[in-house]
Amino acid sequence: MTMTMRIYGDPGSGSLRRVTTAARIMGIELERVFVDLFKGESQTEDFKSRLNPHGLTPVLEDGDLILYEAAAINLYLAEKVNSPLLGSTEKERSQVLQWMFWSGEQWRTFSVTIFDERVGKTVMNLPRDENLIAFAEGKIRSAARVLDRHLEGRSFMVGDALTLADLDIAAPFSQVDRAKFPIKDFPNLVAWHENLLRSFPAWAETKAEVDDRMNSFLASVGVRL
Ligand SMILES: N[C@@H](CCC(=O)N[C@@H](CS)C(=O)NCC(=O)O)C(=O)O
């Protein structure tokens, strides 16, 4: 008998959303384990020693395998079922990896900085670092310009079907209204994301999950962004 794989995370997390969306699209069942990030549950000694020493989610548990980093988890799941989310030719698979690595280093990292400054610090009642926000916004804008050009006349980042590259690059849209990332001025990027929401019910369902969780948490602590 095979055990259902477990995924640890908080429904307010855009990183968890990348995994839960991909799993739904691939028809892979995951048992959800709720880790309340607003209560710091990923920062406990137990979490760090058992699941991820960095204190971050999502984390996948598959038997004796513990895996963190949403991109690595998605590649692992997709390999298991040889999913077209990996790309459908060798060339496409390499391009999918190219955009996934790029996304981690040059795209999501700056959106996380802006999220931490605008949302995290507001919740914690700490002063924002406006210079850091301006720096990260500059990085996001120049990356978004390249994405916008790439997406001209295309519906997907690679080839003509959804891949893990789309999910990784779409991640900042999970918090765009709360953190006000400067990505709404790029028409091809916005149209590509609208198409993902329309065409993939899993992406829309997990958006609702993130929004519900974030909005009710922010309301519970009396924060209006
Ligand atoms: N690069 C990681 C990012 C993981 C990450 O930043 N997770 C956040 C939620 S989106 C988290 O667990 N934060 C908990 C904390 O900082 O205590 C991935 O893609 O999985």
Side-chain angles (χ1 to χ4, degrees):
M1 191 183 86
T2 51
M3 297 264 295
T4 310
M5 292 178 276
R6 289 201 180 114
I7 191 80
Y8 294 77
D10 186 307
S13 151
S15 305
L16 175 69
R17 181 187 180 201
R18 284 152 57 210
V19 175
T20 51
T21 304
R24 280 184 210 186
I25 290 172
M26 295 188 283
I28 296 176
E29 198 191 325
L30 295 176
E31 181 188 331
R32 298 269 290 257
V33 183
F34 178 42
V35 180
D36 189 333
L37 298 183
F38 299 121
K39 292 190 178 146
E41 286 180 2
S42 67
Q43 298 294 340
T44 63
E45 276 321 305
D46 175 59
F47 185 95
K48 287 187 183 176
S49 63
R50 215 162 51 80
L51 297 165
N52 181 351
H54 305 291
L56 294 172
T57 56
V59 180
L60 180 83
E61 182 177 10
D62 182 16
D64 60 3
L65 174 73
I66 300 289
L67 195 62
Y68 52 82
E69 286 299 316
I73 296 170
N74 274 350
L75 288 166
Y76 176 76
L77 296 177
E79 292 282 357
K80 259 187 191 282
V81 296
N82 197 17
S83 166
L85 289 182
L86 294 164
S88 43
T89 62
E90 199 184 352
K91 206 163 122 189
E92 280 187 12
R93 285 175 183 232
S94 305
Q95 290 169 328
V96 168
L97 290 179
Q98 168 199 281
W99 285 115
M100 290 174 80
F101 292 137
W102 175 85
S103 163
E105 282 194 45
Q106 316 291 339
W107 179 239
R108 291 197 319 273
T109 188
F110 298 111
S111 63
V112 169
T113 298
I114 298 172
F115 178 86
D116 289 348
E117 286 295 320
R118 291 222 170 97
V119 182
K121 284 194 170 173
T122 306
V123 168
M124 290 186 285
N125 214 4
L126 293 171
R128 293 177 188 169
D129 182 336
E130 296 297 341
N131 289 334
L132 185 57
I133 294 179
F135 172 77
E137 284 199 341
K139 293 284 192 183
I140 293 277
R141 274 205 192 84
S142 49
R145 216 169 286 129
V146 174
L147 289 174
D148 202 57
R149 226 175 291 135
H150 177 76
L151 288 166
E152 171 104 51
R154 325 173 52 107
S155 302
F156 299 103
M157 286 302 300
V158 177
D160 55 11
L162 185 81
T163 65
L164 295 178
D166 294 293
L167 295 183
D168 272 12
I169 289 174
F173 280 93
S174 297
Q175 307 287 0
V176 65
D177 293 327
R178 284 171 287 271
K180 301 178 180 60
F181 305 126
I183 54 181
K184 288 203 162 170
D185 308 337
F186 298 88
N188 299 323
L189 186 57
V190 170
W192 159 83
H193 181 252
E194 290 296 320
N195 180 51
L196 296 187
L197 282 176
R198 257 195 323 269
S199 308
F200 301 95
W203 189 241
E205 287 158 19
T206 55
K207 173 181 175 3
E209 252 178 56
V210 172
D211 288 345
D212 286 352
R213 168 78 172 139
M214 287 301 299
N215 293 340
S216 60
F217 169 72
L218 292 171
S220 76
V221 291
V223 167
R224 290 190 52 171
L225 298 165

